[in-house]
Amino acid sequence: MAQNLYSPRVRMGNWNEDVYLEEERLKDFLKKRDEGELLIQRSRRLKKNLLRPMQLSVSEDGYVHFGDKVMLVNPDYPETEADVSLGGDLALSMTPDEIQAHLSEELEVPCGLSAVPTKIPVGRNTFIILSTDRDSSGQVLRYGQDFHLGITGGFENKMLYLTSDHRTLLKSSRKSWLQEVYLTDEVSYRSCWQAASPDPQLRLEHEGFPVPANARVLINHCHTNRGLAAHRHLFLRTYFGKEAEVAAHTHLDSHRVEKPKNHWMLVTRNPRNDSPTMLGLPRPPAEDTRAVEQAMGLNTQ
């Protein structure tokens, strides 16, 4: 097939048509650039919304309430089942498809999830505790109570919900092939979750008690009774780099106790201005320990 190897400036062959074609391409490019329709401009707007700084809620009584903005963090622990894993505290974050992120500035549903080593609240890792009842806003979240986990992703009029469903041959997590966890814009029984105590001996006794903020809890899916888990040893190549996989599966040890993979913290904001979250802050000693220290004369203050 014949091909013109010369530039349009060389008046050879159908040069007039090549000149007009180059002018039309330039006009089309300038029009898309002015209207913000270039792929790089769409990708930048999406990334700007996902990485927009967010402000978490402050827990005044030490408990989690409906309507609070929190981060779901898997606390750091030594991984013994794999040689290579992501260390540090991992925050549950939304992860849009890399190809769709370059083609659209809106969030495509269903949207994926991953665990990210970060402590900064942004649009992609700030969740909202939502009630199944519309009249429960501001009330305390309790163990065994159904709730939804919504996320806006930094957008104004957008709300996606943490959802999961039974594993099938065509639908499962990408690395472990376990039950998939994703974000969708539909509210249903598949998006209902419950919080449980990580101590199995106190789980029934804590039923109905308020869920403490910044403490280890279990996040269980109501429909499948599977626990939310972070797989630090399974890496995903995402739009933002290397991150860990998140799935719905209850990992038990030899004593039938949930492993640290299923432990999560509902992290709130630090009331002081020196830190955006309560992560990394030293915990105050217990009141009974302080009384014993004072009685023994260990406290010199």
Side-chain angles (χ1 to χ4, degrees):
M1 182 178 180
Q3 184 179 3
N4 187 7
L5 302 178
Y6 298 92
S7 64
R9 290 175 294 180
V10 180
R11 298 187 175 184
M12 182 177 180
N14 197 3
W15 60 270
N16 192 32
E17 181 179 349
D18 294 339
V19 171
Y20 279 108
L21 182 60
E22 287 294 327
E23 292 178 355
E24 290 297 328
R25 289 177 179 175
L26 181 60
K27 291 179 181 179
D28 184 60
F29 170 78
L30 295 177
K31 179 181 178 181
K32 289 184 177 181
R33 188 191 63 178
D34 296 338
E35 296 178 356
E37 295 182 357
L38 295 177
L39 296 182
I40 186 63
Q41 293 176 327
R42 295 180 181 180
S43 177
R44 286 176 179 175
R45 284 196 295 267
L46 176 61
K47 193 173 184 179
K48 180 180 179 181
N49 289 326
L50 292 177
L51 299 181
R52 177 180 300 176
M54 303 292 288
Q55 193 174 42
L56 303 179
S57 301
V58 177
S59 179
E60 299 179 356
D61 54 1
Y63 299 114
V64 181
H65 302 76
F66 289 108
D68 286 352
K69 295 182 178 180
V70 299
M71 290 176 58
L72 270 71
V73 177
N74 179 244
D76 186 22
Y77 64 92
E79 181 64 58
T80 59
E81 299 180 1
D83 297 334
V84 181
S85 62
L86 283 180
D89 298 330
L90 301 184
L92 183 66
S93 305
M94 65 187 314
T95 306
D97 184 74
E98 188 171 0
I99 298 178
Q100 295 296 333
H102 289 286
L103 297 178
S104 176
E105 59 183 299
E106 298 292 336
L107 293 175
E108 297 291 335
V109 292
C111 183
L113 290 160
S114 61
V116 185
T118 181
K119 298 181 180 180
I120 302 176
V122 293
R124 65 183 297 237
N125 60 20
T126 302
F127 287 83
I128 305 175
I129 307 296
L130 302 175
S131 172
T132 56
D133 299 330
R134 298 182 179 179
D135 300 333
S136 301
S137 180
Q139 297 183 7
V140 177
L141 175 65
R142 300 182 180 275
Y143 285 116
Q145 187 176 8
D146 295 350
F147 65 93
H148 301 290
L149 286 169
I151 185 172
T152 61
F155 292 86
E156 296 296 336
N157 299 322
K158 193 76 172 181
M159 181 67 73
L160 301 181
Y161 303 92
L162 185 66
T163 311
S164 183
D165 201 357
H166 287 287
R167 180 184 59 176
T168 62
L169 293 176
L170 301 178
K171 191 175 183 180
S172 61
S173 56
R174 295 167 56 182
K175 292 291 185 177
S176 62
W177 298 96
L178 297 175
Q179 184 173 312
E180 185 183 16
V181 181
Y182 54 93
L183 294 171
T184 182
D185 55 355
E186 298 179 359
V187 180
S188 63
Y189 62 93
R190 299 186 182 92
S191 60
C192 291
W193 303 82
Q194 288 184 358
S197 174
D199 191 349
Q201 297 181 352
L202 301 176
R203 193 164 298 166
L204 292 179
E205 298 182 5
H206 286 174
E207 195 79 14
F209 279 68
V211 177
N214 309 300
R216 294 173 181 259
V217 296
L218 303 178
I219 307 297
N220 298 324
H221 190 232
C222 298
H223 176 53
T224 61
N225 198 25
R226 304 290 183 182
L228 187 65
H231 298 152
R232 296 172 174 264
H233 62 290
L234 299 178
F235 304 123
L236 299 176
R237 295 293 179 179
T238 67
Y239 180 62
F240 299 93
K242 185 173 70 173
E243 299 173 354
E245 184 195 64
V246 176
H249 185 77
T250 304
H251 297 273
L252 302 177
D253 58 11
S254 58
H255 301 284
R256 306 294 296 177
V257 179
E258 288 79 3
K259 294 182 179 180
K261 297 179 182 180
N262 294 113
H263 293 180
W264 297 89
M265 295 172 58
L266 302 177
V267 180
T268 58
R269 180 168 61 93
N270 185 6
R272 301 178 181 179
N273 296 325
D274 53 353
S275 177
T277 65
M278 296 293 291
L279 292 173
L281 297 181
R283 293 183 175 274
E287 295 295 332
D288 54 349
T289 305
R290 191 177 304 171
V292 171
E293 293 178 354
Q294 292 178 357
M296 296 178 62
L298 298 178
N299 193 354
T300 58
Q301 294 182 356

